Amino acid sequence: MKKNALLIVIALSFWACVGLTPQYRLGTQAELNKQWEDAIQYYEKASLENPKEPVYRLALGRAKISASLFHLQEARKFIALGKKEEAKAEYAKSISYNPRDTAIVREALAAVTEAPKDTAPRKEKIEFPIKLKAKEENLQLKFPVETSLRSIFLALGKTAGISMIFDEQFRDVPFTTDLTNMTFEQAVRSLCVATKNFYRIVDERTVVIVPDNPIKRIQYEANVIRTFYLSNVVAQDMQNSLISMLRGTAKVPTISSDKNLNSLTIRDTPQVVELAEKLIRAWDKPRAEVVIDLEIMEVSRLKLRQLGVSFDTNMVGLRYGGPPTSSTDTTSTGWFNLKNIDLSKAENFSISLPVSFLQFLESDTDTKVIAQPRLRGVSDEEMRHLVGQKIPIPRTTFSPFAAGGYASQPLTNFEQQDVGIEVKIKPSVHLEKEVTISLELKVTSIGGKGYADIPIINTREVKNVLRLKDGETTLIAGLLRDEERKTLKGIPGLKDLPVLGRLFGAEDTTLEQTDVILTITPYIIRSIPLTAEDDKPLWVDVDTGSTASGVFEEELLGRPLDIRDMERALQARRPQQDLGLNQITLSPANYERPAGGEFTVSVNLRSDQEIGNMSLVLNYNPKVINLKDVAEGGMTRQFGEKPPFLKNFDNNAGICTIGFSSPQTGKGIKGGGTLATLRFEAKSPGECYITVTNVSAISAAGGSVNLTTSQSRIIIR
């Protein structure tokens, strides 16, 4: 007796150690009912009573995070209704349950208080390292009549105490302007914009004026190198995006990426680097983050019904047990002397008959298997949740014992298959505080055994895409499965008799119904941080040249634009022949393509004088590209059907010579058009320039014609 009592005490002590406390059970029930405050109280009591049990601390932390999310959604609802005081109280509760989430604190400050002023220091503009020491007072200069442009620049320099020098290709043209109330740099910038020039600061007292064309830009422009460290975007992806966006500038900037530091280093003019900085600041933003709250419930209903006469498993039998050892002993041990064998006596035999039961039984059970995962992830990334087990499934293949024989040798491999509830979710957060969820739900279970005891897998699967608001709950149900089994047991032959068969057999009917119910609630934890600067447009190519690096700035004159400024801008945008410029251009100016295949480059001529004969030499890198053919353009057709056209190229040296000569004395070609088309082959990856290194042009009257030239940048990937 004492021994039994001791065993009972040990068992109760063990149960008390491993069992869950009533406080934890109450907390679980409150959590299922979404009564978060009650759940937190119960979990806190359970954790204090059992401080060494981690399950209680984990449950308490989970309940606090859920309560924080609940009050956060309530606060957002009050903000939408304009109730700031109620929202402030809900934000306070949310922060109290999850004080480490700084995103909630920032959201609360932005929602219930006045918008704070942007006190973050703005990055300074990239400025030229050499500063002019010109006089600070504004100019009072007017040139109402046509005056030499060179004289105007010299007058500006003399007034401000700055030496003005000019490039050898500077074109002096008559010009009228009003430079009243401008500083020296504003006046120089304005003149450069209007006359297609740009300026470069040589030293503190010297400025050079240069014609605005690609060759001169390369010769005079100062470059700057800057490194940007990225936080959210991969450096290689940012590099490709910048090259694609900046391809329309004069030339694609030099950009290198560092995979280890996730940084970009850009080399180009200060204006291009500043534009790249603005693009990087607009693109390098953290992705939105969400919490997906799931409730997975599998409702199973099992109904069992038994009707009829059920017999036990004993069969009808006859045995010989021997005579009884005494008058009171009616059972035999099965052992007896051979001399006592007497088959004629009935008392030496015993017969057994099956016992029957009349059954009228019916049972009905409901079960619920509940899982409540909470998944947190970033936008546009897949999240996967699996609750189940792995079942080995045999896979048998046959192979021959020897080469060329019959495939008769069985080879069995086991494949592990997941069985349970599997959920795949890919959220996408929108700026409208909504979440698009790509959902895949798969419910698998073992439905019995088939051939060779291979498990039968029951599968229910649904795929769907839905869009929900922040905190909105949706329900997915109806994945039903009905299964009915009937089993008839009884005496063979007799159980199959009509009507009377019920007296000799019993029928078992099993009905099983299962349904899977899924509720989904998304919570937006972090949105894409957008500021007022992100809504502003980035102005590029507003004008073609004014500052030391040749980009027209918003603060052109330090004041709002007036009619005079607009006239200068329109004059700067007139076609180049209006200014009397003769030029040779290559099109496209920038081109990028993969290795292999062919591409064409056009040589375009524009002239306001008749050119009787001309020759030009182009250079290229034969290691990167090869010249396949040169075709004459339509401009030489001014001489007739078969114009005299010269073409010659050498891929070993990377030189191409083209030209033409007028068949009639005193006649030439004039205007603009295509002089020739060059067909190249992209040979190997690299970067090269197609440049015009030498040009000679004679007018129809016999004089020399000065032509400006450009280049084409080719990138082979």
Side-chain angles (χ1 to χ4, degrees), residues 648-709:
N648 186 25
F649 58 90
D650 183 3
N651 279 321
N652 294 325
I655 297 176
C656 174
T657 303
I658 60 176
F660 64 88
S661 178
S662 174
Q664 301 177 10
T665 305
K667 183 179 180 181
I669 58 177
K670 182 180 178 181
T674 301
L675 180 62
T677 300
L678 311 181
R679 182 163 60 90
F680 287 94
E681 176 189 7
K683 185 177 179 181
S684 61
E687 179 182 358
C688 71
Y689 289 89
I690 303 174
T691 59
V692 180
T693 57
N694 188 17
V695 59
S696 175
I698 305 298
S699 67
S704 177
V705 179
N706 294 325
L707 295 168
T708 60
T709 61

Side-chain angles (χ1 to χ4, degrees), residues 98-112:
N98 191 8
R100 295 184 179 181
D101 196 339
T102 57
I104 302 178
V105 178
R106 290 194 298 268
E107 180 179 339
L109 291 175
V112 301

Side-chain angles (χ1 to χ4, degrees), residues 50-224:
N50 301 272
K52 295 183 179 181
E53 289 294 334
V55 64
Y56 302 132
R57 296 196 301 272
L58 293 176
L60 177 60
R62 185 181 67 245
K64 285 186 175 181
I65 293 176
S66 300
S68 177
L69 288 175
F70 172 77
H71 289 290
L72 177 62
Q73 295 302 316
E74 293 297 316
R76 290 173 177 174
K77 292 179 182 177
F78 285 125
I79 289 294
L81 296 175
K83 301 179 179 180
K84 286 191 175 182
E85 294 300 325
E86 291 82 352
K88 187 183 298 184
E90 294 295 332
Y91 275 124
K93 291 181 180 179
S94 178
I95 295 173
S96 65
Y97 289 128
N98 191 8
R100 295 184 179 181
D101 196 339
T102 57
I104 302 178
V105 178
R106 290 194 298 268
E107 180 179 339
L109 291 175
V112 301
T113 61
E114 296 294 333
K117 296 183 179 180
D118 187 9
T119 58
R122 299 179 62 87
K123 295 186 178 181
E124 295 183 358
K125 180 180 177 63
I126 301 177
E127 297 182 354
F128 197 69
I130 304 175
K131 301 294 184 181
L132 282 175
K133 292 186 177 180
K135 296 180 180 179
E136 297 182 357
E137 60 268 15
N138 293 338
L139 302 175
Q140 302 295 329
L141 295 177
K142 290 184 180 181
F143 300 91
V145 297
E146 289 188 349
T147 308
S148 168
L149 181 61
R150 182 188 296 266
S151 300
I152 296 176
F153 277 116
L154 292 175
L156 282 176
K158 185 176 181 180
T159 304
I162 301 296
S163 298
M164 307 295 293
I165 60 178
F166 302 89
D167 182 80
E168 58 184 6
Q169 294 186 3
F170 173 77
R171 188 179 180 87
D172 191 10
V173 295
F175 195 74
T176 61
T177 185
D178 183 3
L179 304 177
T180 305
N181 296 326
M182 294 187 188
T183 64
F184 172 75
E185 288 198 56
Q186 290 174 349
V188 173
R189 188 182 300 122
S190 176
L191 285 175
C192 288
V193 169
T195 59
K196 297 296 287 186
N197 293 293
F198 71 97
Y199 72 94
R200 168 73 186 274
I201 301 174
V202 179
D203 55 36
E204 295 177 348
R205 296 290 183 179
T206 307
V207 171
V208 58
I209 307 299
V210 187
D212 191 359
N213 59 68
I215 300 298
K216 294 301 180 181
R217 287 283 184 182
I218 296 175
Q219 181 179 353
Y220 283 94
E221 276 187 335
N223 288 348
V224 64

Side-chain angles (χ1 to χ4, degrees), residues 320-325 335-345 347-348:
Y320 181 83
T325 57
W335 296 92
F336 47 85
N337 296 324
L338 294 177
K339 66 178 182 178
N340 295 328
I341 295 177
D342 188 357
L343 301 178
S344 62
K345 294 181 179 180
E347 60 269 20
N348 291 339

